[in-house]
Amino acid sequence: MSGETQTQKPHVGFEETVKDFVASRPRRPVEGRKIAGVAAGFGNRYGLDPVVVRVALVAMTVFGGVGLVLYVLGWLFFPDERDQVSAFESMIGRGYSTTSTGFTVVLIIALFPTTGWSLSGDWFGGSGVLGYALAIAALYLLHRNRGQLNRPAAWSGPVPSGAEASFSMSDTTTAMPTSAAAPPSWDPLAAEPKGWDLPDPKPVVEHAPPPAQPPVREPRPKTRVGLITFGVALLTAGTGVALNMSGESYFSLQHIIGLTLGVVGLGLLVGSFAGGGRGLIGLAIPLSIVGMAITVIPFNQYQGGYGDLTASPTTAAELKSVYRHSAGNIDLDFRNLTADHPVTVKVSNGAGNTTVLLPATADVTYSCKSRAGQADCLTKHSQGVAQRAITGSDNGTDGVGGLQIHLEVDNGAGDVEVSRG
């Protein structure tokens, strides 16, 4: 970017670093942008590969929802390279921006639901608070270490007619017109002007300045970041599979893919500073897709049979501890169930409605969850997508005393209803 400077006084404190970041914010370029140029501007500002920045934003969007919020904030507060100020500053009258006020308002309104989703903790199982903390810490450290690079020059473009220009100290309203100086009434050379013999002036030849040469970017030295990261990722995945086969319950498929993706992401981060590692993007994208799929889709629920499942056990011997179905309705009637000890029942349904009828006097502790649908569990209710499980206890019409039932219902897609007979 023309006009960029490469040196700056080092930042010694948190406040100075924050102020310098605000003063030297990235500018969103026209060339190389995909949507609004936030990732391209950020990468150009700190000497990072914009592709790595885009991958990081997508990963933070999938796991936690933070990436989408950060992108909208960049759209609002990073000025376009053609603009005097950012879209938000232009909306409050600080200068000129090509982004219309109406669209700026739309972006601000979009921040509310996206921020709420990211902080709810239910966005693909991610933690928005942790994501924001890590993003702020990474941005602070990045600016402290690389804030002196590619500092954008002050805006000096023309302001279109009708747009509010920035404040100027020059006063153009009090300038008085100047008249041409009157010729003297006497001849200082004491001779008639027609008698002067002066040489003709030589024509002035204007030479056009040579065209500015674009800066040549030196290629980064080749490194082995990609090869080393790929090897460590394979080792991590192989170790996780081996531990899973040996009985370690923590190393599930989700955790193995998450750990491997973490290694690849670390390699991309190192490669953005040291050079190399762009080939890891081809590994990170499918891993992210698979990780998102196995996190969101409850594959463990799609086990068992298909069709409707109906059961009405009356004794503890007839009662099953687990009722599992892949697709179809599950109807369980426990109203006539008798047992001389507490019982635990787990119900899992991949797709379909689940209905459970309980004895009127039973002491029940319950946990009901529908990943996509409505859940009515005795006195509690939830509805929507990716809602948390509703839990509680109910001692029936006679108070404490009676058959003790611990009920867990997990429904993939469909409604859940738990009531008393």
Side-chain angles (χ1 to χ4, degrees):
M1 181 180 296
S2 62
E4 295 168 347
T5 59
Q6 299 294 326
T7 60
Q8 179 76 5
K9 183 178 71 174
H11 319 300
V12 295
F14 177 80
E15 183 178 357
E16 290 81 0
T17 302
V18 173
K19 289 181 178 179
D20 185 74
F21 170 76
V22 174
S24 62
R25 286 168 293 170
R27 283 187 172 270
R28 298 183 285 112
V30 177
E31 296 293 334
R33 65 169 57 181
K34 300 300 181 182
I35 301 176
V38 175
F42 192 87
N44 295 341
R45 172 65 177 88
Y46 294 105
L48 305 175
D49 192 333
V51 177
V52 176
V53 180
R54 293 186 184 106
V55 171
L57 287 172
V58 171
M60 287 190 292
T61 300
V62 172
F63 300 101
V66 179
L68 184 59
V69 177
L70 296 180
Y71 196 91
V72 176
L73 287 174
W75 201 336
L76 282 170
F77 293 99
F78 289 174
D80 191 291
E81 65 179 7
R82 303 164 296 180
D83 297 345
Q84 183 182 15
V85 295
S86 66
F88 180 81
E89 292 170 308
S90 175
M91 184 186 69
I92 60 177
R94 295 289 182 85
Y96 166 71
S97 173
T98 55
T99 305
S100 66
T101 301
F103 187 72
T104 303
V105 172
V106 171
L107 290 176
I108 294 174
I109 294 175
L111 276 177
F112 290 95
T114 52
T115 304
W117 292 333
S118 64
L119 293 175
S120 66
D122 291 326
W123 186 297
F124 296 147
S127 175
V129 176
L130 179 60
Y132 285 116
L134 292 176
I136 294 173
L139 179 59
Y140 174 77
L141 295 175
L142 183 65
H143 191 78
R144 278 189 65 91
N145 289 280
R146 301 174 71 89
Q148 75 280 4
L149 301 176
N150 306 324
R151 300 178 66 84
W155 183 86
S156 59
V159 178
S161 59
E164 182 177 357
S166 59
F167 176 76
S168 174
M169 294 295 294
S170 61
D171 188 0
T172 60
T173 61
T174 59
M176 299 296 294
T178 58
S179 61
S185 59
W186 55 277
D187 184 6
L189 298 180
E192 286 293 332
K194 295 182 180 180
W196 297 349
D197 187 10
L198 300 177
D200 295 333
K202 295 182 179 181
V204 179
V205 179
E206 296 183 357
H207 298 280
Q213 298 294 329
V216 179
R217 192 177 228 177
E218 297 183 0
R220 291 184 176 181
K222 293 184 178 180
T223 63
R224 296 187 176 181
V225 173
L227 183 61
I228 294 175
T229 304
F230 183 72
V232 175
L234 284 180
L235 181 62
T236 302
T239 303
V241 171
L243 291 174
N244 176 271
M245 296 179 65
S246 65
E248 292 291 339
S249 59
Y250 173 80
F251 289 93
S252 61
L253 180 60
Q254 292 93 330
H255 287 159
I256 294 173
I257 292 180
L259 292 172
T260 306
L261 186 60
V263 172
V264 174
L266 182 61
L268 284 170
L269 181 62
V270 174
S272 66
F273 290 95
R278 292 193 63 174
L280 295 173
I281 298 173
L283 181 61
I285 293 176
L287 280 177
S288 299
I289 295 174
V290 174
M292 181 181 65
I294 64 176
T295 301
V296 177
I297 302 174
F299 289 101
N300 60 334
Q301 289 186 327
Y302 293 96
Q303 301 176 11
Y306 295 87
D308 295 341
L309 172 64
T310 303
S312 302
T314 58
T315 64
E318 297 176 356
L319 180 68
K320 295 181 179 180
S321 59
V322 177
Y323 291 90
R324 189 185 302 274
H325 221 46
S326 293
N329 297 329
I330 297 180
D331 295 300
L332 303 178
D333 187 353
F334 298 151
R335 289 178 295 180
N336 298 320
L337 177 65
T338 57
D340 55 1
H341 57 80
V343 296
T344 298
V345 181
K346 295 182 179 180
V347 183
S348 177
N349 194 2
N353 299 328
T354 300
T355 303
V356 181
L357 295 176
L358 300 172
T361 59
D363 298 344
V364 181
T365 58
Y366 57 86
S367 172
C368 301
K369 181 176 184 179
S370 177
R371 300 176 186 270
Q374 176 177 303
D376 291 295
C377 245
L378 296 178
T379 59
K380 295 187 177 182
H381 170 82
S382 72
Q383 184 175 2
V385 178
Q387 295 295 312
R388 295 180 179 179
I390 55 177
T391 60
S393 60
D394 190 291
N395 295 321
T397 57
D398 62 343
V400 179
L403 176 62
Q404 297 180 9
I405 300 177
H406 178 70
L407 177 65
E408 296 181 15
V409 181
D410 191 353
N411 224 58
D415 297 337
V416 175
E417 181 181 358
V418 177
S419 60
R420 294 183 182 272

